[in-house]
Amino acid sequence: MKAALQNYQQRMRRVLDYIDRHLDADLDLEMLSGVAVFSKFHFHRQFTATFGLSVHRYVQLARMKRASYQLAYMDAHSVTDIAMDAGYDAPDAFARAFRQRFGQSPSSFRTSPDWEPWLAAFGPFDNARSKLMQKTFSPADVTIRDVSPIRVAIMEHRGDPATLGATIQRFIAWRKAAGLHPRTSPTFNVWRPVSPGNYSVDLCVGTNQPIEANGEEIKPGEIPGGRCAVLRVVGYTENLQPAALYLYRDWLPSSGEEARDFPIYCQRLSFFPEVPEHETVAELFLPLNSLL
C-alpha cells in the first residue's frame, strides 16, 4: 500500500516538474495525463483532488508567478514579451488578468509592487506545491566543510516578511548598479535571531570592492570562516525552513557537534525564473565550533 502511494505521488510530482520545465508549451490535459501515465478521463479529477486546484488553474498560476518575477526582478523583459510568455495573445488581455489577480497593472507592479495581494493570490498555488514537494533529509545529505571568510555588502530586511519582495527588488537594483552580477559575485541570506513575530534577514553579496551605497542603506560585513554543516537543497528553494529545521532539530543533536555563535545562512546558487523552480539550488550553512 505504501509503495503504491509513493508511486502515485511520484507520478503527480513528475507532472509538476514537467509544467515547470514547459511553461511555454501547450499544457493540455492529454499531454499532462500522459506525463503522469494516468487515464486522461480521470486525470483532471485526480489532479484536483490531490492539489486542490484544477490543472488549468495551476498552469495559469505557474505562468503568472513567472511573469510577476520577470516584472519585478528582470528589467530586460518587456511587458509585451512577458505577456506572450505567459500565454496571452495580447498585452491588454494579460494586463486585465494581472490586474484582476493582483490589483495592479503589470507596469505598476514593475515599478512599485504591492506584495500582500500577491502573496494572497499565490496561497492556493503554494499550498498545492507543498503537498508533494516536502523534502525529507538524512544525515547522508549533510557534509562538514571548512569555509573561508567572505566579505559582503549587506542590505537588511527587518519586520514584516510580506514586504521582503520589495527589499529583494531594491537589492537586485542596487547590485546591478554596482556591477555585482550573481554569476561573479555570490549571493547569501543570513537569518538573524529576533523576537517572536518579527522577521530579520540580511541580503548579502560577496565582494572585495569598496561599497558605494548609491542612496541605499548598504553596509559592509563579513560571513566568518570556519567549520560548517552544509545541506544542499535542489528545487523549490523559496521555503528553506524545512531544511533549516532538519539541521537544527534532527542533525545537530545526533551529530555530537555544537553550533557556533553565528546564525544559519544560505548561499543561493541559481535563481527562479532564470531556471525552472525545480532546478533552483541553495546550500544551507550551519556554523559549527572548531574541533578541540
Side-chain angles (χ1 to χ4, degrees):
M1 181 73 99
K2 184 177 180 180
L5 177 61
Q6 288 176 338
N7 176 261
Y8 181 92
Q9 292 176 338
Q10 184 179 18
R11 290 156 75 183
M12 281 297 191
R13 189 180 295 114
R14 192 162 62 228
V15 173
L16 300 195
D17 288 348
Y18 186 90
I19 292 170
D20 281 344
R21 289 196 305 271
H22 299 88
L23 285 178
D24 298 324
D26 183 11
L27 297 170
D28 59 22
L29 278 175
E30 186 165 358
M31 166 67 73
L32 295 177
S33 64
V35 172
V37 198
F38 285 131
S39 162
K40 66 179 180 181
F41 298 104
H42 302 293
F43 172 68
H44 178 74
R45 290 187 178 87
Q46 288 172 293
F47 189 98
T48 304
T50 301
F51 297 113
L53 290 173
S54 69
V55 179
H56 178 70
R57 173 85 164 148
Y58 183 91
V59 170
Q60 275 189 325
L61 286 171
R63 287 171 172 159
M64 274 296 188
K65 184 174 184 181
R66 183 180 65 174
S68 60
Y69 270 64
Q70 290 170 334
L71 287 166
Y73 303 136
M74 302 176 74
D75 293 338
H77 291 68
S78 71
V79 174
T80 298
D81 288 341
I82 292 170
M84 299 304 174
D85 287 345
Y88 290 86
D89 294 331
D92 288 349
F94 172 68
R96 285 193 298 273
F98 196 93
R99 184 185 292 277
Q100 182 179 19
R101 202 172 301 281
F102 306 118
Q104 286 184 283
S105 68
S107 56
S108 175
F109 187 87
R110 163 160 275 177
T111 56
S112 184
D114 186 350
W115 291 102
E116 290 194 35
W118 185 91
L119 287 169
F122 282 108
F125 182 75
D126 292 337
N127 288 338
R129 295 179 87 91
S130 68
K131 292 181 186 300
L132 293 186
M133 296 305 170
Q134 291 290 345
K135 295 186 177 295
T136 57
F137 303 100
S138 72
D141 297 318
V142 181
T143 58
I144 295 180
R145 192 183 303 173
D146 285 312
V147 177
S148 300
I150 305 161
R151 292 179 58 193
V152 293
I154 302 168
M155 179 181 288
E156 298 177 344
H157 178 84
R158 302 292 183 264
D160 189 349
T163 62
L164 177 61
T167 307
I168 293 173
Q169 190 178 30
R170 288 172 39 231
F171 179 67
I172 291 173
W174 173 81
R175 70 183 292 175
K176 281 182 180 177
L180 300 172
H181 194 279
R183 292 195 191 94
T184 55
S185 303
T187 302
F188 301 91
N189 299 149
V190 182
W191 288 277
R192 299 288 179 180
V194 291
S195 59
N198 287 327
Y199 183 77
S200 178
V201 61
D202 292 346
L203 308 181
C204 307
V205 55
T207 178
N208 291 315
Q209 300 176 16
I211 295 172
E212 298 289 340
N214 294 325
E216 287 290 356
E217 294 181 3
I218 304 291
K219 65 180 186 181
E222 182 178 275
I223 296 176
R227 297 173 69 246
C228 290
V230 183
L231 177 58
R232 188 179 182 92
V233 180
V234 179
Y236 312 103
T237 55
E238 277 189 0
N239 181 15
L240 293 172
Q241 186 176 22
L245 283 175
Y246 173 77
L247 282 174
Y248 274 125
R249 183 185 59 200
D250 301 319
W251 181 85
L252 186 62
S254 63
S255 69
E257 299 280 352
E258 291 188 3
R260 188 163 22 110
D261 189 19
F262 188 80
I264 196 168
Y265 65 95
C266 85
Q267 180 176 0
R268 296 193 176 273
L269 301 175
S270 59
F271 301 86
F272 174 77
E274 292 180 1
V275 300
E277 279 199 88
H278 73 284
E279 293 180 4
T280 57
V281 179
E283 289 186 332
L284 273 178
F285 292 78
L286 176 60
L288 304 173
N289 283 337
S290 299
L291 293 173
L292 296 178

